Amino acid sequence: MNVRITGTGSALPGKILTNAELERLVDTSDEWITTRTGIKERRIAVEGEYTSTFAAEAARRAMAMAGAHPEEIDLIIIGTVTPDFPFPSTACIVQDLLGATNATAFDLSAACSGFLYGVSIAEKFLRSGAARKVLVIGSEVLSRIVDWQDRNTCVLFGDGAGAVVLEASEGDHSLLSTHTFSNGSFWNLLYQPGSGSRNPATESRTIDERLIYLKMEGNDVFKHAVRAMEEAALKALDANGLTPSNISLMIPHQANRRIIDATTKRLGLGPDKLFTNLHRYGNTSSASIPIALDEANRQGVIKPDSKLLMVAFGGGFTYASALVNW
Ligand code: ACO
């Protein structure tokens, strides 16, 4: 049984935060952010908007494209590091919002690789016949765990969601492979120290020591990201007997323009084979690939029968790739 992406969707907050506005919050400049990251602006959730809000909207759009009814969905997987609550899962909240009454729903914690990890799990359910229609969603409201006093991190991240419907199919327009990897040796280079069992909430720890906020060793993460994304991409190509020249389009995790450029240079892929939108949204973690996928799909950038490569890297470290014959 093959597995096909039959619908894509995305949802973003209406509120835009530009680099110029960030200059008024922390000691930074549009010039620094643009040259070091490629980011010009990002979307920020407002009061009353949560991870589930964007997840449900992105899912509705993906289901509308797929012509899938909520009751037909067998499984909902949400990659997120910013769930509405530690529990219950945001996936259960989204199940309720959608009326997907026949689905099993769970969240998946793989940071920025959460969406591709979800696709890989969905693939196994679909190939085995355990599910017929699956929603995989990446959704984040990172603005609520970003330290708005830390210029090293607050300029990088944004909010939003992307989703796909995956279905069992017998045609050739299908998912060719998925690969997932983890390297737990570096878990403390990118993490949120507070809010879990290791540093339970207290006023001094959570607020005064600012443990509730995301921490990152940017330079180290950068180097690992480039090597890992190259490895994940090559694994996908090898598994399918392909070389970079066979790839029609690559959608990488949208973390930093320099990471993307260094990765594509190592792979020998030209800029014409790359889809990016991080200048408008920043790094939306698990949402970044499905948002870009939806935009590329709706803009007609992905041609039928083309080979689409998606590659992610995130905290954990986790990394992953998926190759699709579109
Ligand atoms: N504005 C102005 N100056 C800044 C800012 C800022 N926003 N942030 C840092 N600086 C300063 C630093 O303080 C430092 O100053 P110093 O030399 O006086 O100490 C200087 O700029 C250089 O800092 P570096 O950290 O060396 O800058 P670098 O070129 O490495 O860029 C960055 C930093 C953009 C964070 C880069 O390391 C990076 O992108 N890393 C990867 C981060 C990432 O993408 N993480 C997410 C991937 S995984 C995931 O998505 C979960």
Side-chain angles (χ1 to χ4, degrees):
M1 188 56 76
N2 285 335
V3 173
R4 185 176 183 188
I5 296 174
T6 53
T8 63
S10 56
L12 289 136
K15 181 180 159 57
I16 296 173
L17 181 68
T18 64
N19 290 350
E21 288 168 300
L22 272 171
E23 288 177 3
R24 297 198 284 274
L25 281 180
V26 287
D27 181 15
T28 191
S29 65
D30 173 46
E31 197 266 334
W32 192 97
I33 302 170
T34 305
T35 54
R36 298 294 177 117
T37 73
I39 300 164
K40 298 298 282 184
E41 59 187 43
R42 67 287 294 144
R43 300 299 180 96
I44 303 292
V46 298
E47 209 180 325
E49 292 179 329
Y50 320 112
T51 296
S52 59
T53 317
F54 303 112
E57 193 49 37
R60 282 190 196 100
R61 291 174 186 168
M63 288 193 299
M65 186 185 286
H69 297 288
E71 324 81 66
E72 294 176 296
I73 302 295
D74 300 313
L75 178 64
I76 300 173
I77 305 174
I78 301 191
T80 186
V81 294
T82 50
D84 285 20
F85 310 106
F87 76 92
S89 70
T90 301
C92 280
I93 297 169
V94 169
Q95 174 191 21
D96 183 46
L97 289 170
L98 297 177
T101 46
N102 296 311
T104 296
F106 63 87
D107 289 357
L108 189 159
S109 176
C112 306
S113 308
F115 173 72
L116 291 187
Y117 265 53
V119 169
S120 186
I121 293 168
E123 181 192 17
K124 275 91 186 164
F125 270 81
L126 290 162
R127 284 200 201 282
S128 70
R132 298 282 309 170
K133 291 191 190 195
V134 181
L135 258 176
V136 180
I137 305 169
S139 186
E140 306 284 3
V141 177
L142 292 161
S143 60
R144 305 230 165 105
I145 64 161
V146 158
D147 185 346
W148 291 102
Q149 295 178 15
D150 177 12
R151 69 175 184 173
N152 291 292
T153 52
C154 75
V155 302
L156 302 173
F157 298 97
D159 304 335
V164 294
V165 175
L166 291 159
E167 297 187 43
S169 113
E170 275 163 15
D172 291 339
H173 299 273
S174 61
L175 194 56
L176 298 176
S177 65
T178 59
H179 290 90
T180 55
F181 311 85
S182 307
N183 183 351
S185 309
F186 301 103
W187 64 266
N188 57 351
L189 294 183
L190 177 52
Y191 76 126
Q192 185 189 4
S195 82
S197 63
R198 202 176 282 212
N199 295 302
T202 66
E203 206 165 308
S204 64
R205 266 199 301 252
T206 311
I207 309 296
D208 301 343
E209 292 175 40
R210 310 187 78 70
L211 294 193
I212 194 68
Y213 298 117
L214 170 158
K215 313 283 179 208
M216 180 174 71
E217 299 297 330
N219 252 308
D220 289 335
V221 172
F222 191 106
K223 289 175 211 147
H224 285 284
V226 174
R227 280 196 293 267
M229 285 173 66
E230 181 191 22
E231 184 190 331
L234 290 176
K235 200 76 171 194
L237 295 172
D238 284 353
N240 292 284
L242 301 175
T243 66
S245 65
N246 301 119
I247 296 303
S248 321
L249 190 70
M250 174 161 145
I251 298 182
H253 171 44
Q254 313 277 311
N256 180 317
R257 183 74 216 195
R258 289 189 298 140
I259 293 177
I260 294 171
D261 288 345
T263 306
T264 45
K265 192 170 167 205
R266 287 165 83 119
L267 290 169
L269 277 177
D272 54 316
K273 295 199 169 176
L274 200 56
F275 187 87
T276 60
N277 58 10
L278 89 166
H279 55 294
R280 287 185 288 129
Y281 303 135
N283 179 352
T284 56
S285 191
S286 68
S288 93
I289 289 178
I291 292 171
L293 175 65
D294 184 46
E295 290 198 344
N297 188 22
R298 287 175 194 267
Q299 290 168 18
V301 176
I302 319 173
K303 305 288 178 225
D305 277 324
S306 62
K307 300 278 183 301
L308 167 68
L309 176 63
M310 296 178 274
V311 189
F313 175 83
F317 290 138
T318 58
Y319 45 115
S321 58
L323 190 63
V324 182
N325 185 36
W326 195 257

